[in-house]
Amino acid sequence: MTLFIILGGVGLALLLVTLIFGDFLDFDGGGLVSLPGIAVGLVLFGASGAITLSAGLDMIWVYVIAIMMGLVAYALAALVVRSLQRSSDGEARDVTGDTGVTMSRITVSTGEVYLDAPGEIERRQAFADEEIPQGVRIRVVRVYGPRVKVERETPAPADPAQPAAPDSPNAPASG
C-alpha cells in the first residue's frame, strides 16, 4: 500500500508543479510525453492500486489494475494536452493598422480597446498620445507586447472633385 500512496503523492506533487510552472517536460512538442500526463497517470496508478489492494484482491491483480488505470489516465491526459496545444494559436498576430472601439477612456498611460479583426476575442490594454473618450473608433499605430498604442480613426478626406451630398450642410444651394 505504501508504494501506491507514495506514487500517488508524487503524481499530485507533479500536478502542482505543472500548475505553477507549466509543462516543462514536453519532449516531443506534441503533448504525448508531458508532465501533466505522467502526473495524472501516477495519481490514478496510486489511487486505483490502493483501492484494489484494500478490496482484498491478489497482488498480481492489484498491479494489473493499477497499471492499466494509470496507462489509460496517462493516455487520456496526453490527448487532452495535445488537443489544447493544437487549439491555441501560439503566435501573436501583428495588429498594427487594425481598427476598433475604445471600451474605456484612453489616456497617455491606460485604457482598453476592442479590435474588430477576426480572432480578436479579448479586450486589449491601450494608450494614446491624446485622451480619447469611451466609444470612439480607433486605429492601432504600434504594438508594445500585450499593449497597443492607438489614435482616433479619422475618416478618409472628402474628394474635392465629388459634389457634396444634397442633404449636406456644405451642399451648394440650388435655385
Side-chain angles (χ1 to χ4, degrees):
M1 172 100 57
T2 305
L3 174 70
F4 297 117
I5 292 172
I6 289 172
L7 288 178
V10 168
L12 284 175
L14 286 175
L15 279 175
L16 183 61
V17 166
T18 302
L19 286 174
I20 296 171
F21 299 109
D23 187 6
F24 56 85
L25 190 65
D26 187 7
F27 292 116
D28 63 349
L32 287 179
V33 180
S34 65
L35 192 58
I38 293 168
V40 168
L42 285 174
V43 168
L44 242 16
F45 173 82
S48 60
I51 290 169
T52 54
L53 186 62
S54 67
L57 293 176
D58 289 337
M59 215 42 186
I60 187 72
W61 291 112
V62 170
Y63 279 107
V64 167
I65 291 171
I67 289 170
M68 294 303 293
M69 293 295 289
L71 288 174
V72 168
Y74 170 78
L76 290 175
L79 288 174
V80 168
V81 168
R82 181 181 229 182
S83 174
L84 289 173
Q85 286 176 341
R86 285 183 179 168
S87 70
S88 67
D89 56 11
E91 292 184 27
R93 186 179 67 80
D94 184 17
V95 294
T96 305
D98 286 358
T99 59
V101 64
T102 58
M103 301 305 289
S104 67
R105 183 175 57 98
I106 307 294
T107 66
V108 295
S109 61
T110 63
E112 282 187 329
V113 296
Y114 179 79
L115 302 180
D116 300 330
E120 288 291 321
I121 58 173
E122 297 178 358
R123 297 177 179 186
R124 289 184 179 251
Q125 296 296 313
F127 65 98
D129 288 336
E130 65 175 339
E131 188 172 304
I132 304 173
Q134 181 179 353
V136 173
R137 298 285 307 165
I138 52 90
R139 183 175 59 86
V140 176
V141 294
R142 188 112 190 241
V143 178
Y144 296 93
R147 297 180 66 202
V148 292
K149 181 178 182 182
V150 298
E151 65 182 18
R152 288 177 189 260
E153 183 180 35
T154 54
D159 185 3
Q162 293 287 344
D167 59 342
S168 169
N170 297 332
S174 59

